[in-house]
Amino acid sequence: MGTGHWIRRMGATGPGDVRLVCFPHAGGAVTSFAGLARALAPDIEVLGVQYPGRQDRHREQPVEEIGRMAEAVGEELGALLPDGRPCAFLGHSMGALVAFEAAQSLRGARSSKDLTHLFASGRAAPSAGPRPGDLLSRDDELLTELHRLGGVGEEILNDPEMISMIMPVVRADYRALASYRMTPGASLDCPVTVLTGEADPIVSPREAARWEELTSAGSRLHVFPGGHFYLQDQVPRVAAVVREALLAR
């Protein structure tokens, strides 16, 4: 059930005392967080950000700028946050950048205290700029990269119809990644928890740890078994980290 155009309430969750807004990876959709939403229910209400061009928004044109995505999410969240419940963000891969920029949008338009925590998963700090894989543009290169990261299986690579469905979104998301540059001086005043897979080929734990430079409220790093999509196999452990950070008051 949706709460707005960009925000989707994950069906498995209860009202919760705390709200967690989840931002998917490039090419991803809100369903990538379904397992985490179930694991966090009913104490934490999970909302997913549905980017244009996928699932129930498949008829819409994908957005090719991370800043524009973040601005749209920030505007919609503005109507949700005044109920007084704490709100945290969790972004995976590209979603970590969108979440960071959405936090900047909130900070500029409202009180920065609206955001109580940021979980940055599978991505180096925004200050690092684009990684080499972000600059790929040919369809064959993008599919090879997604397969290498574990985001596209053999069954999709061998299905021309599926490829034609996913490629407009993938192209747009990678254009957004290639053009993204963090605004100089952008920062957070909430704690940051950094999550990464020990065998992630695009970000090392050392690179992930540099998120600590972007917050005045401290950060913690958690390294899990697995690669870029470690979350698929580590839902209980990730849920435990999120619970500890958001509910241990």
Side-chain angles (χ1 to χ4, degrees):
M1 178 179 177
T3 60
H5 197 51
W6 286 70
I7 310 298
R8 303 287 180 270
R9 180 171 285 111
M10 307 297 284
T13 65
D17 295 325
V18 181
R19 178 185 288 124
L20 179 68
V21 183
C22 294
F23 297 72
H25 57 278
V30 293
T31 47
S32 62
F33 296 110
L36 184 62
R38 286 192 295 270
L40 293 174
D43 308 303
I44 298 172
E45 179 187 24
V46 178
L47 304 176
V49 174
Q50 189 77 300
Y51 310 133
R54 54 216 89 192
Q55 294 184 342
D56 58 329
R57 302 188 71 185
H58 70 279
R59 296 184 185 278
E60 299 178 48
Q61 191 70 20
V63 176
E64 298 184 1
E65 295 174 36
I66 283 174
R68 282 178 56 206
M69 292 188 227
E71 219 172 284
V73 173
E75 286 178 8
E76 230 172 83
L77 285 174
L80 292 173
L81 297 183
D83 66 5
R85 279 190 291 160
C87 179
F89 287 175
L90 186 154
H92 180 66
S93 198
M94 181 186 80
L97 302 180
V98 183
F100 177 78
E101 291 299 329
Q104 303 306 306
S105 177
L106 285 180
R107 193 176 190 183
R110 304 169 49 79
S111 165
S112 58
K113 297 185 186 305
D114 284 335
L115 186 68
T116 60
H117 208 104
L118 174 70
F119 298 89
S121 170
R123 185 77 198 189
S127 51
R131 63 181 184 85
D134 296 339
L135 306 177
L136 300 175
S137 58
R138 295 202 327 257
D139 285 6
D140 59 332
E141 292 176 328
L142 292 171
L143 284 168
T144 298
E145 175 73 351
L146 288 173
H147 182 57
R148 179 176 78 96
L149 298 180
V152 170
E154 292 286 348
E155 69 281 0
I156 293 179
L157 289 178
N158 296 322
D159 187 336
E161 188 174 342
M162 281 296 296
I163 289 176
S164 68
M165 286 175 61
I166 69 171
M167 285 314 297
V169 163
V170 171
R171 288 186 208 109
D173 287 352
Y174 271 81
R175 286 183 191 125
L177 285 169
S179 64
Y180 173 72
R181 301 295 185 277
M182 186 188 89
T183 304
S187 63
L188 300 165
D189 51 13
C190 66
V192 175
T193 296
V194 186
L195 314 169
T196 191
E198 63 183 1
D200 191 328
I202 68 171
V203 54
S204 68
R206 183 176 180 181
E207 291 170 322
R210 291 195 62 189
W211 279 90
E212 69 180 359
E213 301 168 6
L214 300 179
T215 180
S216 60
S219 72
R220 294 184 65 185
L221 172 66
H222 294 268
V223 182
F224 300 90
H228 189 61
F229 288 99
Y230 71 90
L231 180 53
Q232 295 174 353
D233 300 317
Q234 301 294 330
V235 168
R237 293 180 63 179
V238 172
V241 169
V242 171
R243 282 180 178 278
E244 181 187 7
L246 298 186
L247 300 178
R249 299 178 183 276

